[in-house]
mmCIF file with all atom_site columns, all heavy atoms in Angstrom:
data_model
loop_
_atom_site.group_PDB
_atom_site.id
_atom_site.type_symbol
_atom_site.label_atom_id
_atom_site.label_alt_id
_atom_site.label_comp_id
_atom_site.label_asym_id
_atom_site.label_entity_id
_atom_site.label_seq_id
_atom_site.pdbx_PDB_ins_code
_atom_site.Cartn_x
_atom_site.Cartn_y
_atom_site.Cartn_z
_atom_site.occupancy
_atom_site.B_iso_or_equiv
_atom_site.pdbx_formal_charge
_atom_site.auth_seq_id
_atom_site.auth_comp_id
_atom_site.auth_asym_id
_atom_site.auth_atom_id
_atom_site.pdbx_PDB_model_num
ATOM 1   N N   . VAL A 1 1  ? -17.974 -13.225 -6.484  1.00 0.00 ? 990  VAL A N   1
ATOM 2   C CA  . VAL A 1 1  ? -16.796 -12.683 -6.957  1.00 0.00 ? 990  VAL A CA  1
ATOM 3   C C   . VAL A 1 1  ? -15.902 -13.842 -7.741  1.00 0.00 ? 990  VAL A C   1
ATOM 4   O O   . VAL A 1 1  ? -15.525 -14.746 -7.026  1.00 0.00 ? 990  VAL A O   1
ATOM 5   C CB  . VAL A 1 1  ? -15.977 -12.015 -5.842  1.00 0.00 ? 990  VAL A CB  1
ATOM 6   C CG1 . VAL A 1 1  ? -14.620 -11.473 -6.390  1.00 0.00 ? 990  VAL A CG1 1
ATOM 7   C CG2 . VAL A 1 1  ? -16.806 -11.002 -5.094  1.00 0.00 ? 990  VAL A CG2 1
ATOM 8   N N   . ALA A 1 2  ? -15.770 -13.652 -9.023  1.00 0.00 ? 991  ALA A N   1
ATOM 9   C CA  . ALA A 1 2  ? -15.061 -14.699 -9.704  1.00 0.00 ? 991  ALA A CA  1
ATOM 10  C C   . ALA A 1 2  ? -13.565 -14.561 -9.667  1.00 0.00 ? 991  ALA A C   1
ATOM 11  O O   . ALA A 1 2  ? -12.830 -15.376 -9.535  1.00 0.00 ? 991  ALA A O   1
ATOM 12  C CB  . ALA A 1 2  ? -15.625 -14.671 -11.185 1.00 0.00 ? 991  ALA A CB  1
ATOM 13  N N   . LEU A 1 3  ? -13.051 -13.356 -9.694  1.00 0.00 ? 992  LEU A N   1
ATOM 14  C CA  . LEU A 1 3  ? -11.709 -13.026 -9.918  1.00 0.00 ? 992  LEU A CA  1
ATOM 15  C C   . LEU A 1 3  ? -11.354 -11.764 -9.269  1.00 0.00 ? 992  LEU A C   1
ATOM 16  O O   . LEU A 1 3  ? -11.956 -10.781 -9.278  1.00 0.00 ? 992  LEU A O   1
ATOM 17  C CB  . LEU A 1 3  ? -11.334 -12.868 -11.436 1.00 0.00 ? 992  LEU A CB  1
ATOM 18  C CG  . LEU A 1 3  ? -9.857  -12.794 -11.889 1.00 0.00 ? 992  LEU A CG  1
ATOM 19  C CD1 . LEU A 1 3  ? -9.126  -14.031 -11.562 1.00 0.00 ? 992  LEU A CD1 1
ATOM 20  C CD2 . LEU A 1 3  ? -9.824  -12.501 -13.384 1.00 0.00 ? 992  LEU A CD2 1
ATOM 21  N N   . LEU A 1 4  ? -10.120 -11.714 -8.555  1.00 0.00 ? 993  LEU A N   1
ATOM 22  C CA  . LEU A 1 4  ? -9.468  -10.647 -7.938  1.00 0.00 ? 993  LEU A CA  1
ATOM 23  C C   . LEU A 1 4  ? -8.090  -10.360 -8.660  1.00 0.00 ? 993  LEU A C   1
ATOM 24  O O   . LEU A 1 4  ? -7.352  -11.321 -8.696  1.00 0.00 ? 993  LEU A O   1
ATOM 25  C CB  . LEU A 1 4  ? -9.158  -10.858 -6.435  1.00 0.00 ? 993  LEU A CB  1
ATOM 26  C CG  . LEU A 1 4  ? -10.343 -10.889 -5.503  1.00 0.00 ? 993  LEU A CG  1
ATOM 27  C CD1 . LEU A 1 4  ? -9.928  -11.547 -4.117  1.00 0.00 ? 993  LEU A CD1 1
ATOM 28  C CD2 . LEU A 1 4  ? -10.904 -9.483  -5.418  1.00 0.00 ? 993  LEU A CD2 1
ATOM 29  N N   . VAL A 1 5  ? -7.926  -9.189  -9.172  1.00 0.00 ? 994  VAL A N   1
ATOM 30  C CA  . VAL A 1 5  ? -6.689  -8.858  -9.810  1.00 0.00 ? 994  VAL A CA  1
ATOM 31  C C   . VAL A 1 5  ? -6.005  -7.729  -9.162  1.00 0.00 ? 994  VAL A C   1
ATOM 32  O O   . VAL A 1 5  ? -6.736  -6.654  -8.936  1.00 0.00 ? 994  VAL A O   1
ATOM 33  C CB  . VAL A 1 5  ? -6.893  -8.529  -11.318 1.00 0.00 ? 994  VAL A CB  1
ATOM 34  C CG1 . VAL A 1 5  ? -5.558  -8.315  -12.022 1.00 0.00 ? 994  VAL A CG1 1
ATOM 35  C CG2 . VAL A 1 5  ? -7.636  -9.688  -12.012 1.00 0.00 ? 994  VAL A CG2 1
ATOM 36  N N   . THR A 1 6  ? -4.824  -7.761  -8.751  1.00 0.00 ? 995  THR A N   1
ATOM 37  C CA  . THR A 1 6  ? -4.198  -6.722  -8.029  1.00 0.00 ? 995  THR A CA  1
ATOM 38  C C   . THR A 1 6  ? -2.909  -6.374  -8.680  1.00 0.00 ? 995  THR A C   1
ATOM 39  O O   . THR A 1 6  ? -2.113  -7.185  -9.095  1.00 0.00 ? 995  THR A O   1
ATOM 40  C CB  . THR A 1 6  ? -3.977  -7.006  -6.482  1.00 0.00 ? 995  THR A CB  1
ATOM 41  O OG1 . THR A 1 6  ? -3.273  -5.932  -5.889  1.00 0.00 ? 995  THR A OG1 1
ATOM 42  C CG2 . THR A 1 6  ? -3.152  -8.278  -6.335  1.00 0.00 ? 995  THR A CG2 1
ATOM 43  N N   . GLU A 1 7  ? -2.434  -5.080  -8.590  1.00 0.00 ? 996  GLU A N   1
ATOM 44  C CA  . GLU A 1 7  ? -1.105  -4.713  -8.986  1.00 0.00 ? 996  GLU A CA  1
ATOM 45  C C   . GLU A 1 7  ? -0.113  -5.304  -7.873  1.00 0.00 ? 996  GLU A C   1
ATOM 46  O O   . GLU A 1 7  ? -0.517  -5.619  -6.751  1.00 0.00 ? 996  GLU A O   1
ATOM 47  C CB  . GLU A 1 7  ? -1.112  -3.207  -9.060  1.00 0.00 ? 996  GLU A CB  1
ATOM 48  C CG  . GLU A 1 7  ? -1.722  -2.593  -10.367 1.00 0.00 ? 996  GLU A CG  1
ATOM 49  C CD  . GLU A 1 7  ? -1.610  -1.216  -10.440 1.00 0.00 ? 996  GLU A CD  1
ATOM 50  O OE1 . GLU A 1 7  ? -0.550  -0.697  -10.037 1.00 0.00 ? 996  GLU A OE1 1
ATOM 51  O OE2 . GLU A 1 7  ? -2.507  -0.547  -10.982 1.00 0.00 ? 996  GLU A OE2 1
ATOM 52  N N   . SER A 1 8  ? 1.065   -5.238  -8.353  1.00 0.00 ? 997  SER A N   1
ATOM 53  C CA  . SER A 1 8  ? 2.117   -5.798  -7.392  1.00 0.00 ? 997  SER A CA  1
ATOM 54  C C   . SER A 1 8  ? 2.563   -4.870  -6.258  1.00 0.00 ? 997  SER A C   1
ATOM 55  O O   . SER A 1 8  ? 3.265   -5.227  -5.373  1.00 0.00 ? 997  SER A O   1
ATOM 56  C CB  . SER A 1 8  ? 3.330   -6.182  -8.166  1.00 0.00 ? 997  SER A CB  1
ATOM 57  O OG  . SER A 1 8  ? 3.953   -5.000  -8.837  1.00 0.00 ? 997  SER A OG  1
ATOM 58  N N   . ARG A 1 9  ? 2.097   -3.548  -6.358  1.00 0.00 ? 998  ARG A N   1
ATOM 59  C CA  . ARG A 1 9  ? 2.388   -2.667  -5.350  1.00 0.00 ? 998  ARG A CA  1
ATOM 60  C C   . ARG A 1 9  ? 1.127   -1.904  -4.882  1.00 0.00 ? 998  ARG A C   1
ATOM 61  O O   . ARG A 1 9  ? 0.332   -1.351  -5.739  1.00 0.00 ? 998  ARG A O   1
ATOM 62  C CB  . ARG A 1 9  ? 3.531   -1.624  -5.882  1.00 0.00 ? 998  ARG A CB  1
ATOM 63  C CG  . ARG A 1 9  ? 4.680   -2.311  -6.085  1.00 0.00 ? 998  ARG A CG  1
ATOM 64  C CD  . ARG A 1 9  ? 5.757   -1.341  -6.549  1.00 0.00 ? 998  ARG A CD  1
ATOM 65  N NE  . ARG A 1 9  ? 7.191   -1.994  -6.911  1.00 0.00 ? 998  ARG A NE  1
ATOM 66  C CZ  . ARG A 1 9  ? 8.248   -1.394  -7.113  1.00 0.00 ? 998  ARG A CZ  1
ATOM 67  N NH1 . ARG A 1 9  ? 8.303   -0.036  -7.173  1.00 0.00 ? 998  ARG A NH1 1
ATOM 68  N NH2 . ARG A 1 9  ? 9.293   -2.076  -7.464  1.00 0.00 ? 998  ARG A NH2 1
ATOM 69  N N   . LEU A 1 10 ? 0.889   -1.809  -3.537  1.00 0.00 ? 999  LEU A N   1
ATOM 70  C CA  . LEU A 1 10 ? -0.336  -1.258  -3.119  1.00 0.00 ? 999  LEU A CA  1
ATOM 71  C C   . LEU A 1 10 ? 0.180   -0.121  -2.076  1.00 0.00 ? 999  LEU A C   1
ATOM 72  O O   . LEU A 1 10 ? 1.109   -0.189  -1.356  1.00 0.00 ? 999  LEU A O   1
ATOM 73  C CB  . LEU A 1 10 ? -1.182  -2.219  -2.322  1.00 0.00 ? 999  LEU A CB  1
ATOM 74  C CG  . LEU A 1 10 ? -1.605  -3.484  -3.112  1.00 0.00 ? 999  LEU A CG  1
ATOM 75  C CD1 . LEU A 1 10 ? -2.428  -4.442  -2.320  1.00 0.00 ? 999  LEU A CD1 1
ATOM 76  C CD2 . LEU A 1 10 ? -2.501  -3.022  -4.300  1.00 0.00 ? 999  LEU A CD2 1
ATOM 77  N N   . PRO A 1 11 ? -0.694  0.904   -1.936  1.00 0.00 ? 1000 PRO A N   1
ATOM 78  C CA  . PRO A 1 11 ? -0.322  2.050   -1.198  1.00 0.00 ? 1000 PRO A CA  1
ATOM 79  C C   . PRO A 1 11 ? -0.481  1.833   0.364   1.00 0.00 ? 1000 PRO A C   1
ATOM 80  O O   . PRO A 1 11 ? 0.245   2.474   1.174   1.00 0.00 ? 1000 PRO A O   1
ATOM 81  C CB  . PRO A 1 11 ? -1.278  3.138   -1.647  1.00 0.00 ? 1000 PRO A CB  1
ATOM 82  C CG  . PRO A 1 11 ? -2.499  2.405   -2.047  1.00 0.00 ? 1000 PRO A CG  1
ATOM 83  C CD  . PRO A 1 11 ? -2.011  1.124   -2.736  1.00 0.00 ? 1000 PRO A CD  1
ATOM 84  N N   . ASP A 1 12 ? -1.251  0.850   0.730   1.00 0.00 ? 1001 ASP A N   1
ATOM 85  C CA  . ASP A 1 12 ? -1.502  0.644   2.177   1.00 0.00 ? 1001 ASP A CA  1
ATOM 86  C C   . ASP A 1 12 ? -1.213  -0.838  2.717   1.00 0.00 ? 1001 ASP A C   1
ATOM 87  O O   . ASP A 1 12 ? -1.619  -1.111  3.830   1.00 0.00 ? 1001 ASP A O   1
ATOM 88  C CB  . ASP A 1 12 ? -2.973  0.963   2.494   1.00 0.00 ? 1001 ASP A CB  1
ATOM 89  C CG  . ASP A 1 12 ? -3.966  0.233   1.604   1.00 0.00 ? 1001 ASP A CG  1
ATOM 90  O OD1 . ASP A 1 12 ? -3.543  -0.403  0.640   1.00 0.00 ? 1001 ASP A OD1 1
ATOM 91  O OD2 . ASP A 1 12 ? -5.109  0.217   2.027   1.00 0.00 ? 1001 ASP A OD2 1
ATOM 92  N N   . SER A 1 13 ? -0.580  -1.617  1.936   1.00 0.00 ? 1002 SER A N   1
ATOM 93  C CA  . SER A 1 13 ? -0.288  -2.991  2.404   1.00 0.00 ? 1002 SER A CA  1
ATOM 94  C C   . SER A 1 13 ? 0.646   -3.640  1.471   1.00 0.00 ? 1002 SER A C   1
ATOM 95  O O   . SER A 1 13 ? 0.654   -3.207  0.259   1.00 0.00 ? 1002 SER A O   1
ATOM 96  C CB  . SER A 1 13 ? -1.641  -3.760  2.434   1.00 0.00 ? 1002 SER A CB  1
ATOM 97  O OG  . SER A 1 13 ? -1.374  -5.069  2.679   1.00 0.00 ? 1002 SER A OG  1
ATOM 98  N N   . GLU A 1 14 ? 1.307   -4.622  1.925   1.00 0.00 ? 1003 GLU A N   1
ATOM 99  C CA  . GLU A 1 14 ? 2.058   -5.504  1.123   1.00 0.00 ? 1003 GLU A CA  1
ATOM 100 C C   . GLU A 1 14 ? 1.133   -6.430  0.415   1.00 0.00 ? 1003 GLU A C   1
ATOM 101 O O   . GLU A 1 14 ? -0.097  -6.627  0.880   1.00 0.00 ? 1003 GLU A O   1
ATOM 102 C CB  . GLU A 1 14 ? 3.100   -6.482  1.874   1.00 0.00 ? 1003 GLU A CB  1
ATOM 103 C CG  . GLU A 1 14 ? 4.206   -5.571  2.598   1.00 0.00 ? 1003 GLU A CG  1
ATOM 104 C CD  . GLU A 1 14 ? 5.111   -5.073  1.497   1.00 0.00 ? 1003 GLU A CD  1
ATOM 105 O OE1 . GLU A 1 14 ? 5.355   -5.597  0.497   1.00 0.00 ? 1003 GLU A OE1 1
ATOM 106 O OE2 . GLU A 1 14 ? 5.583   -3.896  1.847   1.00 0.00 ? 1003 GLU A OE2 1
ATOM 107 N N   . VAL A 1 15 ? 1.472   -6.988  -0.742  1.00 0.00 ? 1004 VAL A N   1
ATOM 108 C CA  . VAL A 1 15 ? 0.489   -7.748  -1.540  1.00 0.00 ? 1004 VAL A CA  1
ATOM 109 C C   . VAL A 1 15 ? 0.018   -9.074  -0.856  1.00 0.00 ? 1004 VAL A C   1
ATOM 110 O O   . VAL A 1 15 ? -1.142  -9.386  -0.676  1.00 0.00 ? 1004 VAL A O   1
ATOM 111 C CB  . VAL A 1 15 ? 1.033   -8.065  -2.869  1.00 0.00 ? 1004 VAL A CB  1
ATOM 112 C CG1 . VAL A 1 15 ? 0.127   -9.047  -3.624  1.00 0.00 ? 1004 VAL A CG1 1
ATOM 113 C CG2 . VAL A 1 15 ? 1.147   -6.843  -3.759  1.00 0.00 ? 1004 VAL A CG2 1
ATOM 114 N N   . HIS A 1 16 ? 1.056   -9.750  -0.212  1.00 0.00 ? 1005 HIS A N   1
ATOM 115 C CA  . HIS A 1 16 ? 0.621   -11.082 0.341   1.00 0.00 ? 1005 HIS A CA  1
ATOM 116 C C   . HIS A 1 16 ? -0.365  -10.951 1.613   1.00 0.00 ? 1005 HIS A C   1
ATOM 117 O O   . HIS A 1 16 ? -1.371  -11.679 1.581   1.00 0.00 ? 1005 HIS A O   1
ATOM 118 C CB  . HIS A 1 16 ? 1.953   -11.846 0.774   1.00 0.00 ? 1005 HIS A CB  1
ATOM 119 C CG  . HIS A 1 16 ? 2.673   -12.434 -0.336  1.00 0.00 ? 1005 HIS A CG  1
ATOM 120 N ND1 . HIS A 1 16 ? 4.019   -12.891 -0.235  1.00 0.00 ? 1005 HIS A ND1 1
ATOM 121 C CD2 . HIS A 1 16 ? 2.320   -12.719 -1.642  1.00 0.00 ? 1005 HIS A CD2 1
ATOM 122 C CE1 . HIS A 1 16 ? 4.456   -13.198 -1.386  1.00 0.00 ? 1005 HIS A CE1 1
ATOM 123 N NE2 . HIS A 1 16 ? 3.469   -13.269 -2.208  1.00 0.00 ? 1005 HIS A NE2 1
ATOM 124 N N   . PRO A 1 17 ? -0.092  -9.905  2.471   1.00 0.00 ? 1006 PRO A N   1
ATOM 125 C CA  . PRO A 1 17 ? -1.186  -9.913  3.492   1.00 0.00 ? 1006 PRO A CA  1
ATOM 126 C C   . PRO A 1 17 ? -2.407  -9.422  2.966   1.00 0.00 ? 1006 PRO A C   1
ATOM 127 O O   . PRO A 1 17 ? -3.557  -9.839  3.462   1.00 0.00 ? 1006 PRO A O   1
ATOM 128 C CB  . PRO A 1 17 ? -0.522  -8.813  4.389   1.00 0.00 ? 1006 PRO A CB  1
ATOM 129 C CG  . PRO A 1 17 ? 0.882   -8.845  4.227   1.00 0.00 ? 1006 PRO A CG  1
ATOM 130 C CD  . PRO A 1 17 ? 1.098   -9.222  2.726   1.00 0.00 ? 1006 PRO A CD  1
ATOM 131 N N   . ALA A 1 18 ? -2.517  -8.532  1.994   1.00 0.00 ? 1007 ALA A N   1
ATOM 132 C CA  . ALA A 1 18 ? -3.827  -8.178  1.329   1.00 0.00 ? 1007 ALA A CA  1
ATOM 133 C C   . ALA A 1 18 ? -4.443  -9.284  0.779   1.00 0.00 ? 1007 ALA A C   1
ATOM 134 O O   . ALA A 1 18 ? -5.765  -9.482  0.942   1.00 0.00 ? 1007 ALA A O   1
ATOM 135 C CB  . ALA A 1 18 ? -3.516  -7.087  0.351   1.00 0.00 ? 1007 ALA A CB  1
ATOM 136 N N   . LEU A 1 19 ? -3.732  -10.229 0.038   1.00 0.00 ? 1008 LEU A N   1
ATOM 137 C CA  . LEU A 1 19 ? -4.414  -11.342 -0.607  1.00 0.00 ? 1008 LEU A CA  1
ATOM 138 C C   . LEU A 1 19 ? -4.969  -12.266 0.406   1.00 0.00 ? 1008 LEU A C   1
ATOM 139 O O   . LEU A 1 19 ? -6.058  -12.905 0.338   1.00 0.00 ? 1008 LEU A O   1
ATOM 140 C CB  . LEU A 1 19 ? -3.355  -12.056 -1.396  1.00 0.00 ? 1008 LEU A CB  1
ATOM 141 C CG  . LEU A 1 19 ? -2.942  -11.431 -2.813  1.00 0.00 ? 1008 LEU A CG  1
ATOM 142 C CD1 . LEU A 1 19 ? -1.698  -12.074 -3.279  1.00 0.00 ? 1008 LEU A CD1 1
ATOM 143 C CD2 . LEU A 1 19 ? -4.093  -11.530 -3.714  1.00 0.00 ? 1008 LEU A CD2 1
ATOM 144 N N   . HIS A 1 20 ? -4.275  -12.372 1.620   1.00 0.00 ? 1009 HIS A N   1
ATOM 145 C CA  . HIS A 1 20 ? -4.672  -13.230 2.809   1.00 0.00 ? 1009 HIS A CA  1
ATOM 146 C C   . HIS A 1 20 ? -6.034  -12.717 3.325   1.00 0.00 ? 1009 HIS A C   1
ATOM 147 O O   . HIS A 1 20 ? -6.927  -13.514 3.462   1.00 0.00 ? 1009 HIS A O   1
ATOM 148 C CB  . HIS A 1 20 ? -3.689  -13.234 3.800   1.00 0.00 ? 1009 HIS A CB  1
ATOM 149 C CG  . HIS A 1 20 ? -3.935  -14.206 4.927   1.00 0.00 ? 1009 HIS A CG  1
ATOM 150 N ND1 . HIS A 1 20 ? -3.829  -15.553 4.706   1.00 0.00 ? 1009 HIS A ND1 1
ATOM 151 C CD2 . HIS A 1 20 ? -4.395  -14.020 6.168   1.00 0.00 ? 1009 HIS A CD2 1
ATOM 152 C CE1 . HIS A 1 20 ? -4.178  -16.167 5.898   1.00 0.00 ? 1009 HIS A CE1 1
ATOM 153 N NE2 . HIS A 1 20 ? -4.521  -15.261 6.734   1.00 0.00 ? 1009 HIS A NE2 1
ATOM 154 N N   . VAL A 1 21 ? -6.213  -11.402 3.497   1.00 0.00 ? 1010 VAL A N   1
ATOM 155 C CA  . VAL A 1 21 ? -7.405  -10.826 3.834   1.00 0.00 ? 1010 VAL A CA  1
ATOM 156 C C   . VAL A 1 21 ? -8.451  -10.984 2.953   1.00 0.00 ? 1010 VAL A C   1
ATOM 157 O O   . VAL A 1 21 ? -9.652  -11.490 3.314   1.00 0.00 ? 1010 VAL A O   1
ATOM 158 C CB  . VAL A 1 21 ? -7.235  -9.318  4.244   1.00 0.00 ? 1010 VAL A CB  1
ATOM 159 C CG1 . VAL A 1 21 ? -8.489  -8.658  4.449   1.00 0.00 ? 1010 VAL A CG1 1
ATOM 160 C CG2 . VAL A 1 21 ? -6.208  -9.218  5.464   1.00 0.00 ? 1010 VAL A CG2 1
ATOM 161 N N   . TRP A 1 22 ? -8.235  -10.828 1.788   1.00 0.00 ? 1011 TRP A N   1
ATOM 162 C CA  . TRP A 1 22 ? -9.306  -10.962 0.692   1.00 0.00 ? 1011 TRP A CA  1
ATOM 163 C C   . TRP A 1 22 ? -9.736  -12.343 0.630   1.00 0.00 ? 1011 TRP A C   1
ATOM 164 O O   . TRP A 1 22 ? -10.918 -12.633 0.351   1.00 0.00 ? 1011 TRP A O   1
ATOM 165 C CB  . TRP A 1 22 ? -8.692  -10.455 -0.755  1.00 0.00 ? 1011 TRP A CB  1
ATOM 166 C CG  . TRP A 1 22 ? -8.313  -9.026  -0.670  1.00 0.00 ? 1011 TRP A CG  1
ATOM 167 C CD1 . TRP A 1 22 ? -8.571  -8.081  0.199   1.00 0.00 ? 1011 TRP A CD1 1
ATOM 168 C CD2 . TRP A 1 22 ? -7.477  -8.455  -1.666  1.00 0.00 ? 1011 TRP A CD2 1
ATOM 169 N NE1 . TRP A 1 22 ? -7.896  -6.830  -0.126  1.00 0.00 ? 1011 TRP A NE1 1
ATOM 170 C CE2 . TRP A 1 22 ? -7.230  -7.053  -1.263  1.00 0.00 ? 1011 TRP A CE2 1
ATOM 171 C CE3 . TRP A 1 22 ? -6.684  -8.854  -2.799  1.00 0.00 ? 1011 TRP A CE3 1
ATOM 172 C CZ2 . TRP A 1 22 ? -6.532  -6.185  -1.965  1.00 0.00 ? 1011 TRP A CZ2 1
ATOM 173 C CZ3 . TRP A 1 22 ? -5.992  -7.911  -3.479  1.00 0.00 ? 1011 TRP A CZ3 1
ATOM 174 C CH2 . TRP A 1 22 ? -5.798  -6.622  -3.062  1.00 0.00 ? 1011 TRP A CH2 1
ATOM 175 N N   . ARG A 1 23 ? -8.814  -13.349 0.613   1.00 0.00 ? 1012 ARG A N   1
ATOM 176 C CA  . ARG A 1 23 ? -9.157  -14.708 0.593   1.00 0.00 ? 1012 ARG A CA  1
ATOM 177 C C   . ARG A 1 23 ? -10.164 -15.132 1.699   1.00 0.00 ? 1012 ARG A C   1
ATOM 178 O O   . ARG A 1 23 ? -11.104 -15.882 1.573   1.00 0.00 ? 1012 ARG A O   1
ATOM 179 C CB  . ARG A 1 23 ? -8.063  -15.659 0.532   1.00 0.00 ? 1012 ARG A CB  1
ATOM 180 C CG  . ARG A 1 23 ? -8.567  -17.085 0.447   1.00 0.00 ? 1012 ARG A CG  1
ATOM 181 C CD  . ARG A 1 23 ? -7.334  -18.074 0.129   1.00 0.00 ? 1012 ARG A CD  1
ATOM 182 N NE  . ARG A 1 23 ? -6.548  -18.287 1.400   1.00 0.00 ? 1012 ARG A NE  1
ATOM 183 C CZ  . ARG A 1 23 ? -5.587  -19.273 1.444   1.00 0.00 ? 1012 ARG A CZ  1
ATOM 184 N NH1 . ARG A 1 23 ? -5.370  -20.031 0.337   1.00 0.00 ? 1012 ARG A NH1 1
ATOM 185 N NH2 . ARG A 1 23 ? -4.819  -19.381 2.545   1.00 0.00 ? 1012 ARG A NH2 1
ATOM 186 N N   . GLY A 1 24 ? -9.905  -14.456 2.888   1.00 0.00 ? 1013 GLY A N   1
ATOM 187 C CA  . GLY A 1 24 ? -10.768 -14.791 4.021   1.00 0.00 ? 1013 GLY A CA  1
ATOM 188 C C   . GLY A 1 24 ? -12.139 -14.327 3.831   1.00 0.00 ? 1013 GLY A C   1
ATOM 189 O O   . GLY A 1 24 ? -13.134 -14.867 4.347   1.00 0.00 ? 1013 GLY A O   1
ATOM 190 N N   . ILE A 1 25 ? -12.348 -13.233 3.012   1.00 0.00 ? 1014 ILE A N   1
ATOM 191 C CA  . ILE A 1 25 ? -13.706 -12.690 2.702   1.00 0.00 ? 1014 ILE A CA  1
ATOM 192 C C   . ILE A 1 25 ? -14.392 -13.461 1.570   1.00 0.00 ? 1014 ILE A C   1
ATOM 193 O O   . ILE A 1 25 ? -15.670 -13.718 1.705   1.00 0.00 ? 1014 ILE A O   1
ATOM 194 C CB  . ILE A 1 25 ? -13.561 -11.181 2.367   1.00 0.00 ? 1014 ILE A CB  1
ATOM 195 C CG1 . ILE A 1 25 ? -12.925 -10.334 3.498   1.00 0.00 ? 1014 ILE A CG1 1
ATOM 196 C CG2 . ILE A 1 25 ? -15.006 -10.686 2.069   1.00 0.00 ? 1014 ILE A CG2 1
ATOM 197 C CD1 . ILE A 1 25 ? -12.601 -8.947  3.135   1.00 0.00 ? 1014 ILE A CD1 1
ATOM 198 N N   . VAL A 1 26 ? -13.678 -13.786 0.475   1.00 0.00 ? 1015 VAL A N   1
ATOM 199 C CA  . VAL A 1 26 ? -14.268 -14.447 -0.640  1.00 0.00 ? 1015 VAL A CA  1
ATOM 200 C C   . VAL A 1 26 ? -13.255 -15.597 -1.003  1.00 0.00 ? 1015 VAL A C   1
ATOM 201 O O   . VAL A 1 26 ? -12.515 -15.473 -1.982  1.00 0.00 ? 1015 VAL A O   1
ATOM 202 C CB  . VAL A 1 26 ? -14.454 -13.593 -1.800  1.00 0.00 ? 1015 VAL A CB  1
ATOM 203 C CG1 . VAL A 1 26 ? -15.736 -12.770 -1.622  1.00 0.00 ? 1015 VAL A CG1 1
ATOM 204 C CG2 . VAL A 1 26 ? -13.293 -12.615 -2.130  1.00 0.00 ? 1015 VAL A CG2 1
ATOM 205 N N   . PRO A 1 27 ? -13.277 -16.726 -0.314  1.00 0.00 ? 1016 PRO A N   1
ATOM 206 C CA  . PRO A 1 27 ? -12.382 -17.726 -0.587  1.00 0.00 ? 1016 PRO A CA  1
ATOM 207 C C   . PRO A 1 27 ? -12.402 -18.470 -1.893  1.00 0.00 ? 1016 PRO A C   1
ATOM 208 O O   . PRO A 1 27 ? -11.483 -19.183 -2.291  1.00 0.00 ? 1016 PRO A O   1
ATOM 209 C CB  . PRO A 1 27 ? -12.653 -18.768 0.605   1.00 0.00 ? 1016 PRO A CB  1
ATOM 210 C CG  . PRO A 1 27 ? -14.030 -18.462 1.015   1.00 0.00 ? 1016 PRO A CG  1
ATOM 211 C CD  . PRO A 1 27 ? -14.179 -17.098 0.797   1.00 0.00 ? 1016 PRO A CD  1
ATOM 212 N N   . THR A 1 28 ? -13.574 -18.371 -2.516  1.00 0.00 ? 1017 THR A N   1
ATOM 213 C CA  . THR A 1 28 ? -13.777 -19.135 -3.891  1.00 0.00 ? 1017 THR A CA  1
ATOM 214 C C   . THR A 1 28 ? -13.202 -18.206 -5.004  1.00 0.00 ? 1017 THR A C   1
ATOM 215 O O   . THR A 1 28 ? -13.086 -18.776 -6.014  1.00 0.00 ? 1017 THR A O   1
ATOM 216 C CB  . THR A 1 28 ? -15.223 -19.360 -4.069  1.00 0.00 ? 1017 THR A CB  1
ATOM 217 O OG1 . THR A 1 28 ? -15.978 -18.187 -4.165  1.00 0.00 ? 1017 THR A OG1 1
ATOM 218 C CG2 . THR A 1 28 ? -15.691 -20.345 -3.014  1.00 0.00 ? 1017 THR A CG2 1
#
């Protein structure tokens, strides 16, 4: 996974916690 792009508003999470979870899965 080279790049993760997210909108600033998500239906089920704040952005910062979501990014934290995603980084734990694909830190690179």
Side-chain angles (χ1 to χ4, degrees):
V990 180
L992 186 65
L993 287 166
V994 182
T995 180
E996 292 186 26
S997 61
R998 299 185 180 186
L999 301 175
D1001 56 343
S1002 172
E1003 296 293 328
V1004 169
H1005 285 162
L1008 288 166
H1009 187 74
V1010 171
W1011 300 341
R1012 183 172 73 170
I1014 302 169
V1015 283
T1017 58

